[in-house]
């Protein structure tokens, strides 16, 4: 098949999932056309089946707000026409779904049929999408999609709760490739032998409650020796640094900045902290589990579908730093228990096997293509 994948090219989860999906599909022999405003950060392979089309928005004195959605629509029309795509797959509804619908309408006039699938990832429904300002267009474009998927059962429920959706929704979870990889990273550069490593990876936005990461860490440190590694960057970074100073944890905290590949640094961690306010899935937690790191998280949204409390880690109510610290210590203070949870984390991650998930998408592509 010739598949167009529309995505955000950045480090956010939806971009990572879309890129990894495209890479896997290309390996299976499908021709993949990534369409975005810049080169996807995780697109680190050379493959004869992978193509990239950049959406450019020309500046013009009249444009206070460059019309990205129109530029994307025109690019979609051009790529679909010239490359003869069979199907479009959009990751994150805003503004990809409405642009795809418009492109579909334009091409219909020329007798070209192009079905599109919208994959909802999280804040396109639970935060930004719910905004009354966006709601009408999101509702309309979801209803116009030839198929809609969500990355968790929880996000599916939220979609029906917040929007007037007439279609069925398929849940196709995010995925990971669990391999027995040897990493060359030196743990001793980050912590002493008798220190545990706690880690958090995100884009440091408010919804991630990154201050709770620091507070939980400070509490855990009252009892055991440990270091905190914070991977990523974002709007809360300055506040996080201030809190580290206030709680006097700076000497034990490392901000790495944004990393292209997080698996290596995660592989030296003992626990992963994810105290998010809302999280449709929690890909970062899955990536940690895949390299054997148990997860201390909140129980919000789709997280409990990924992190199984009492098996791959523990879950607490949003904001309950005391409970998260207590759960972290419960694992860190018992060597055997921690080792069991590390093994369980890998076993749980294996349930989100890349091949099975990719197969579900392939079936869905075929279904919408044959619907014509
Ligand atoms: O909403 C975001 O944080 C960004 C979004 C994205 O597009 O990168 O993340 C969402 O999608 C990820 C991939 O499906 C999920 O793992 C995240 O849980 C989800 N984030 C939220 O729901 C907050």
């Amino acid at each position: 098949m010739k598949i167009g994948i529309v995505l955000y090219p950045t480090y956010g989860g939806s971009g990572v999932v879309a890129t990894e999906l495209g890479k896997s599909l290309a390996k299976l022999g499908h021709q993949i056309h990534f369409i975005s405003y810049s080169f996807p950060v995780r697109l680190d392979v050379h493959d004869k089946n992978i193509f990239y089309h950049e959406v450019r928005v020309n500046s013009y004195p009249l444009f206070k707000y460059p019309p990205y959605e129109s530029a994307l629509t025109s690019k979609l029309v051009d790529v679909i026409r010239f490359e003869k795509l069979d199907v479009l797959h959009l990751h994150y509804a805003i503004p990809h779904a409405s642009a795809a619908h418009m492109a579909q309408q334009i091409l219909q006039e020329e007798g070209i049929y192009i079905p599109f699938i919208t994959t909802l990832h999280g804040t396109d429904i639970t935060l930004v999408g719910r905004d009354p300002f966006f709601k009408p267009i999101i509702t309309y474009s979801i209803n116009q999609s030839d198929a809609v998927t969500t990355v968790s059962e929880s996000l599916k429920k939220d979609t029906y709760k917040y929007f007037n959706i007439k279609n069925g929704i398929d849940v196709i979870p995010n995925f990971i490739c669990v391999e027995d990889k040897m990493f060359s990273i030196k743990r001793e550069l980050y912590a002493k032998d008798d220190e545990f490593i706690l880690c958090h990876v995100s884009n440091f936005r408010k919804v991630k409650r990154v201050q709770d990461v620091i507070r939980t860490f400070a509490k855990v440190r009252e009892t055991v020796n440990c270091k905190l590694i914070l991977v990523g960057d974002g709007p809360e970074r300055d506040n996080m640094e201030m809190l580290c100073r206030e709680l006097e944890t700076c000497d034990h905290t490392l901000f790495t900045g944004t990393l292209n590949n997080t698996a290596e640094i995660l592989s030296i961690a003992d626990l992963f902290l994810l105290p998010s306010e809302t999280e449709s899935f929690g890909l970062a937690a899955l990536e940690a589990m895949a390299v054997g790191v148990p997860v201390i998280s909140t129980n919000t949204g789709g997280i409990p579908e990924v992190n199984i409390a009492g098996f791959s880690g523990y879950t607490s109510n949003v904001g309950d730093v005391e409970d998260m610290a207590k759960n972290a210590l419960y694992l860190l203070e018992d060597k055997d228990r921690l080792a069991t949870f590390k093994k369980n984390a890998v076993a749980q991650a294996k349930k989100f096997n890349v091949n099975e998930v990719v197969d579900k998408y392939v079936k869905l592509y075929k279904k919408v293509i044959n619907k014509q």
Side-chain angles (χ1 to χ4, degrees):
M1 282 179 280
K2 291 186 174 188
I3 304 158
I5 294 186
V6 183
L7 73 162
Y8 281 103
T10 51
Y11 292 95
S14 70
V16 170
V17 169
T19 310
E20 296 299 335
L21 173 63
K23 281 155 64 176
S24 299
L25 288 163
K27 268 197 217 155
L28 293 175
H30 300 288
Q31 199 180 88
I32 304 303
H33 294 262
F34 287 105
I35 301 156
S36 192
Y37 57 77
S38 73
F39 198 81
V41 289
R42 280 276 189 112
L43 193 49
D44 49 3
V45 290
H46 296 284
D47 188 311
K48 66 175 175 30
N49 288 328
I50 292 183
F51 301 84
Y52 166 64
H53 308 270
E54 188 151 309
V55 181
R56 287 194 195 85
V57 191
N58 291 335
S59 64
Y60 184 69
L62 213 57
F63 297 161
K64 183 173 172 196
Y65 305 105
Y68 180 70
E69 191 172 336
S70 301
L72 173 61
T73 304
S74 298
K75 179 56 87 180
L76 291 178
V77 168
D78 182 64
V79 175
I80 294 160
R81 235 192 232 140
F82 185 73
E83 304 287 353
K84 303 199 168 26
L85 299 190
D86 297 306
V87 60
L88 268 188
H89 188 177
L90 319 156
H91 290 264
Y92 206 88
I94 316 166
H96 302 153
S98 41
H101 173 60
M102 188 63 162
Q104 188 183 56
Q105 296 295 103
I106 294 171
L107 289 163
Q108 203 172 3
E109 302 257 303
E110 299 173 19
I112 297 172
Y113 170 71
I114 180 78
F116 71 92
I117 296 169
T118 304
T119 289
L120 305 169
H121 277 273
T123 51
D124 44 355
I125 293 299
T126 56
L127 225 64
V128 195
R130 272 175 72 193
D131 186 318
F133 199 74
F134 283 120
K135 210 168 167 176
I137 190 143
I138 304 281
T139 309
Y140 181 73
S141 47
I142 291 177
N143 281 329
Q144 293 301 319
S145 303
D146 295 279
V148 179
T149 75
T150 57
V151 296
S152 63
E153 290 290 344
S154 152
L155 187 60
K156 175 176 170 173
K157 264 196 212 136
D158 284 343
T159 308
Y160 283 125
K161 183 166 134 200
Y162 300 131
F163 297 85
N164 182 11
I165 300 302
K166 296 177 190 132
N167 312 347
I169 295 178
D170 290 307
V171 176
I172 303 188
N174 290 331
F175 54 89
I176 191 96
C177 179
V178 184
E179 308 162 299
D180 277 334
K181 253 196 214 153
M182 289 302 288
F183 295 102
S184 56
I185 189 164
K186 290 191 169 65
R187 191 188 191 277
E188 62 267 28
L189 294 179
Y190 296 86
K192 296 189 193 115
D193 277 356
D194 64 344
E195 284 176 322
F196 293 106
I197 297 179
L198 278 58
C199 191
H200 169 80
V201 181
S202 80
N203 42 20
F204 296 2
R205 286 175 307 150
K206 271 216 166 346
V207 69
K208 303 288 173 184
R209 293 187 69 100
V210 273
Q211 280 83 351
D212 285 359
V213 172
I214 294 164
R215 289 206 172 90
T216 303
F217 171 73
K219 285 201 177 296
V220 172
R221 240 198 92 71
E222 287 170 10
T223 308
V224 296
N225 269 342
C226 49
K227 284 265 156 53
L228 175 64
I229 300 182
L230 295 162
V231 182
D233 216 329
E236 288 300 303
R237 167 79 184 255
D238 289 347
N239 291 335
M240 292 164 82
E241 288 189 27
M242 296 310 282
L243 187 61
C244 287
R245 287 176 209 174
E246 196 187 302
L247 300 179
E248 298 180 356
T249 56
C250 295
D251 289 349
H252 314 286
T253 303
L254 172 71
F255 286 87
T256 65
T258 302
L259 299 178
N260 233 343
N261 197 333
T262 52
E264 197 159 48
I265 195 109
L266 283 169
S267 72
I268 59 165
D270 296 292
L271 290 181
F272 186 80
L273 303 179
L274 189 67
S276 303
E277 175 89 38
T278 155
E279 197 74 64
S280 69
F281 183 88
L283 184 66
L286 181 60
E287 291 184 325
M289 282 157 43
V291 291
V293 186
V295 175
I296 299 296
S297 69
T298 45
N299 52 16
T300 183
I303 298 181
E305 295 172 45
V306 181
N307 179 26
I308 308 301
F311 183 70
S312 58
Y314 282 97
T315 59
S316 309
N317 291 335
V318 172
D320 197 343
V321 167
E322 289 286 344
D323 197 52
M324 286 185 272
K326 193 185 89 199
N327 289 335
L329 285 168
Y330 181 70
L331 295 183
L332 296 178
E333 287 190 306
D334 184 325
K335 229 171 99 192
D336 293 339
R337 188 180 293 141
L338 182 61
T340 305
F341 273 69
K342 284 187 176 192
K343 256 194 237 147
N344 294 351
V346 176
Q348 173 62 9
K350 282 185 177 160
K351 294 187 185 150
F352 297 86
N353 184 291
V354 58
N355 297 330
E356 282 157 40
V357 175
V358 171
D359 193 48
K360 285 186 183 156
Y361 279 121
V362 169
K363 287 197 175 109
L364 191 60
Y365 297 152
K366 288 186 179 155
K367 189 171 152 192
V368 296
I369 291 170
N370 295 326
K371 199 173 97 176
Q372 188 189 16

